[in-house]
Amino acid sequence: MRRFVRIAAVILALLLLGGAVASNAATIVIQNNDGAGEGFNDPTAKVPVGGNPGTTLGAQRLNAFTYAASLWAARLSSPVTIVVDAQMNPLTCNAGSAVLGSAGTTTVHRNFSGNLVAGAYYCQALANSLAGTDLAPGTADINAQFNSSLNGSAGCLGGKKWYYGYDSNPPAGDIDFVSVVVHEIGHGLGFQTFCDLATGVKFNGFNDVYMLKLDQLGATPSNFASMTNAQRVAAAISDPSLRWTGANVTAFAPTIPIAGGLSGPYVRVYAPNPLQQGSSVSHFSTAVAPNEIMEPSYTGPNHNINLTLELMKDIGWSVIPNCTPGTTTVNDTDTLTVARGATTWSIKIKVQNTGSFDANSVSASIISGPAWLGISDPNGSYPDLAPGASSFNSDTYVLDLTNYPGGSFQVSLQVYFSDDCNAPHNQTVTVNLAPPVPTPVTPHATYVNRLEANVPNPFNPSTTIHYELAQSGRATLGVYDVSGRLVRTLVDREHNVGSYETRWDGRDDRGAAVASGVYFYRIESGRFTQTRRMVLLK
C-alpha cells in the first residue's frame, strides 16, 4: 500500500513510517534495509543538531527515526514487538515537487483470536497487539521508504532539506523529519481505511475497523461502512460532512480545545472534491485548528500525538496514560466571614503539578481542628488538573464558633489527588485562623439605614455589598432567587451603629455554586428593611 500527501504548490508525500525504540510499553524496532554507505548508513560527517547526537548523516537519520518511534512506543501497549522495514532512497524530486516518502502496513487480518469487531480488517500491528501473538511471523508490520534526495540541492524543492533534530525547531523552509515519521507511524498503526475510495468497494468485501467510525452528516445511512459503494464514493468527497464519531476523539477534542474543523461535536475527516488518492478519508480535515499531526499536509513541526492516540483507542489500541512521576504542591489562602453566629471559611487551594500526570480527581476535606470547633464539611470536588498546570479552587466549610475561646486556632485540611495512572497523591495543609472582629468599615458622624447597590453588578464570581445601620441591634442580610427562596444568609448577628460590607461568592448555604441569573438581596434590622437586585453572569 502506497500513500501520498500533497501540500499547496509543492507535492509532498507524508505517509506511513515506523520507528525503532524499546520502551516499558510497546517495543518498536527499525530494520535498516539500506546498503552500506547509503541512507541510514550514509557516512557524511554532520554536526549534532537539536538534541540529535549523530555525527554522520546516516546516524542522524536513524536517530531521528528512533526518536519519533519512541513517542509512540511510550504510549501504546502491545505484547508483540512492532517491526518496521525502513530505507531511504532517491525518490522523485524536482524544483517544484517531491515525493517525501511512502509506507504502509504489510498485512491485514480479520477474525483472529482477540479481535474486537468480528469480520473487520485490522492492520498488522494492531491485530498482533489484540491477539497477543505475531500473526505474520517473519514479516515486518510496516514498510517505509523516504526521499534521500531532500538534501539541500537546488534541483529538489528549491534547496529544502530534512531537519533531523528532536526539538521541533527546523530552520525556515526545512522539513522536520521527526514530524513526518510520527505522522506516518500513525498511519501504519491503523489511521487508515483499506476501502477503494474511487469505487467504494471494501477490501475483499469486508469492513475495516477505521471505516466503522466514519459518518457523513445528512446521509442515509450515515455510517460509512453501512453505505453502498456509490454512497461511499460520494462520502469520500463530501467535505465538510465527513467526520469521525469515535467516542474517545469526540470526548477529548473539547479539552484541546479544537477550535475549527468540527461538525457538531465531531472532528471532521479529510474529504475534498475531487478525491485525493492516498490522502482522502485517512486524515483529519485541513480545517482542524489548531493543526493536528494527522492532517493530510505537512503544516510544520508537530510532535503532538494526543488527539491521534484517542483515535487509536477508538479502533482498539490500549493506550498508556501520559504520566511522569512528580510531586504536587498545595498552598492556601483563607478568608473568614461572620454568618448566623458561625463562621464561613472559604478556602482557596492552589494545586501545582510538577510532574506530567493528569489529575482526574482533586478533592479536599477538613481532617482536624480544635476540640471545641464544630465543622460542617461538604467534601467538594474540584475541576481536573491538566499535566504541569496549576489550579485555583475553592470550597466552603462552616466552622461553628459557639464555644470560641478567643485567639487564633489551627485547622488541618487533607487534599487528595488521583491521576490518570491511578496513583494517589495526598497532602495535608495546616492553616492558622483568627476569626475577625466586626468593625465599621468607615467612620461617619451620623448614619442612616440603607442598603447600597452591590459592586460589581453584574458580577462573576463575587460581589461586595455595603450597608449602613442607624441603630444597634441584630441585622440579617440574605440572598434570594426570583421565586423568593432563601439561597444564602450572608449576615445574621448583632451590630453597632456604623457602615459595613459583606461579600457574596455566588454560592448557596451548602457551599454549592449557584446558576447564572437574577437574585435579590434583602436586609432586615428592627423596622428597617430594603431589597435590591443583582445579576450573576457566568
Side-chain angles (χ1 to χ4, degrees), residues 351-429:
V351 180
Q352 185 171 10
N353 175 5
T354 61
S356 66
F357 62 79
D358 183 358
N360 54 41
S361 175
V362 182
S363 61
S365 60
I366 293 177
I367 57 173
S368 67
W372 55 264
L373 181 65
I375 301 172
S376 175
D377 180 0
N379 259 330
S381 293
Y382 305 105
D384 290 356
L385 182 63
S390 295
S391 179
F392 288 89
N393 306 299
S394 63
D395 206 345
T396 300
Y397 300 87
V398 178
L399 309 184
D400 186 354
L401 302 186
T402 302
N403 298 311
Y404 173 54
S408 63
F409 57 94
Q410 292 184 334
V411 172
S412 294
L413 178 77
Q414 181 73 61
V415 181
Y416 171 80
F417 309 85
S418 65
D419 63 34
D420 56 4
C421 296
N422 298 314
H425 308 269
N426 296 291
Q427 285 185 265
T428 300
V429 181

Side-chain angles (χ1 to χ4, degrees), residues 42-84:
D42 192 314
T44 303
K46 290 291 180 180
V47 176
V49 59
N52 187 332
T55 55
T56 67
L57 178 58
Q60 286 192 0
R61 286 168 169 170
L62 195 57
N63 288 346
F65 209 122
T66 301
Y67 176 79
S70 74
L71 300 179
W72 285 105
R75 300 301 307 278
L76 295 177
S77 177
S78 178
V80 182
T81 297
I82 300 169
V83 180
V84 180

Side-chain angles (χ1 to χ4, degrees), residues 109-238:
H109 301 265
R110 55 186 292 269
N111 287 342
F112 50 87
S113 177
N115 78 89
L116 301 177
V117 181
Y121 276 115
Y122 291 76
C123 70
Q124 181 175 322
L126 177 53
N128 288 347
S129 177
L130 293 171
T133 188
D134 193 340
L135 299 174
T139 302
D141 299 276
I142 301 169
N143 185 56
Q145 65 172 338
F146 280 76
N147 198 339
S148 59
S149 298
L150 199 71
N151 57 17
S153 61
C156 182
L157 293 182
K160 293 181 185 295
K161 59 183 181 297
W162 290 116
Y163 174 71
Y164 297 108
Y166 304 161
D167 59 355
S168 300
N169 191 31
D174 287 352
I175 297 172
D176 188 58
F177 189 67
V178 170
S179 297
V180 176
V181 174
V182 168
H183 176 106
E184 302 308 340
I185 289 176
H187 285 304
L189 296 171
F191 201 117
Q192 62 178 136
T193 180
F194 307 130
C195 175
D196 185 337
L197 300 176
T199 64
V201 175
K202 299 175 182 178
F203 184 64
N204 287 341
F206 296 103
N207 295 330
D208 58 64
V209 290
Y210 182 89
M211 69 166 57
L212 295 174
K213 305 298 183 182
L214 294 173
D215 177 271
Q216 183 187 353
L217 178 65
T220 303
S222 62
N223 178 261
F224 195 83
S226 301
M227 294 176 172
T228 65
N229 292 344
Q231 287 174 320
R232 276 189 289 275
V233 170
I237 56 173
S238 66

